Amino acid sequence: MAKYYDVHPDNPQPRAIGQVADSIRQGGLIAYPTDSCFALGCQLGSRDGIERIRVIRQLDDRHHFTLVCENFAQLGQFVHVDNDVFRAVKASTPGSYTFILPATREVPRKLLHPKKRTVGVRIPDHRVAQALLAELGEPLVSSTLLLPDEEEPLTQGWEIKERLDHQVDAVVDSGDCGTEPTTVIDFSSGEAEIIRKGAGDTSRFE
């Protein structure tokens, strides 16, 4: 059964955040809030966690997982960013954007797009997610909590707990965080290509 954590949206309780981080370090899979809907998250090196996300969402090997990072310095450890792309990404973070970029050797092979050797990265503008990332000290491997054959992500913590009780280890609830996923911008060619229009404004990339 999943543990349920009711976390304050503006002042996340350190004890709860610490317990969730410990669960992740022990190989756990969590559902947690971001600035653009709930996500599934696991530790960077957790093969089991990644496979569990694939099973829950019925994903194939072409799916771009996202490394959710605490800050720009951390993000820079996992992707190659040239000067022009650096300015564009820096100006849009933290925020509701996912950027697809060439991966560094720090990224486990299982997370890479099999042909492009790219990975998605983002920095959320959400206090609970930020508190969790700060406590963890490394990115979370994440994917939007969108279940197969459903048009919108789950938005209520209690419903996530009810439906995924035996598939995740913890549910972090800090209230409704919306149903619109991130805007996805592919910079792998050096030019901005809008892959998905979502919660982030696309005007600067058009």
Side-chain angles (χ1 to χ4, degrees):
M1 288 180 61
K3 290 187 177 179
Y4 180 83
Y5 295 91
D6 187 3
V7 178
H8 194 281
D10 297 317
N11 298 293
Q13 300 94 315
R15 185 167 178 269
I17 294 297
Q19 288 174 348
V20 176
D22 285 343
S23 175
I24 295 165
R25 292 188 191 104
Q26 291 163 15
L29 176 64
I30 69 163
Y32 72 102
T34 76
D35 51 347
S36 59
C37 63
F38 274 88
L40 294 167
C42 68
Q43 192 172 30
L44 187 59
S46 175
R47 291 188 176 191
D48 178 63
I50 292 165
E51 288 307 313
R52 288 166 71 189
I53 293 173
R54 288 192 192 278
V55 169
I56 290 171
R57 293 205 52 202
Q58 296 181 15
L59 302 171
D60 62 27
D61 65 359
R62 294 185 301 276
H63 177 75
H64 264 113
F65 282 93
T66 299
L67 296 181
V68 179
C69 301
E70 180 188 358
N71 51 40
F72 205 86
Q74 190 178 75
L75 180 148
Q77 297 174 36
F78 297 94
V79 289
H80 296 289
V81 188
D82 67 25
N83 288 339
D84 290 340
V85 173
F86 174 92
R87 284 191 288 270
V89 174
K90 183 78 168 167
S92 306
T93 54
S96 302
Y97 297 90
T98 298
F99 298 99
I100 297 172
L101 289 160
T104 68
R105 291 183 179 181
E106 299 293 321
V107 179
R109 185 174 295 178
K110 287 187 73 70
L111 296 181
L112 300 178
H113 187 282
K115 292 182 179 178
K116 295 182 178 180
R117 316 301 286 175
T118 52
V119 70
V121 287
R122 89 181 203 85
I123 302 170
D125 187 13
H126 190 280
R127 289 193 180 187
V128 174
Q130 280 287 341
L132 184 55
L133 290 164
E135 178 68 24
L136 196 59
E138 62 181 56
L140 269 172
V141 176
S142 293
S143 185
T144 302
L145 211 174
L146 180 62
L147 298 181
D149 302 321
E150 297 197 8
E151 293 184 4
E152 290 196 338
L154 298 176
T155 61
Q156 302 294 331
W158 62 267
E159 184 182 6
I160 294 168
K161 159 78 170 157
E162 195 172 80
R163 295 182 63 178
L164 297 180
D165 201 23
H166 299 288
Q167 292 177 280
V168 301
D169 299 290
V171 176
V172 182
D173 189 3
S174 63
D176 191 344
C177 55
T179 60
E180 195 169 19
T182 58
T183 290
V184 179
I185 310 292
D186 188 343
F187 269 119
S188 58
S189 68
E191 299 290 330
E193 180 185 354
I194 300 168
I195 303 298
R196 178 179 72 197
K197 290 189 175 184
D201 180 18
T202 60
S203 59
R204 72 181 64 184
F205 302 106
E206 294 171 339

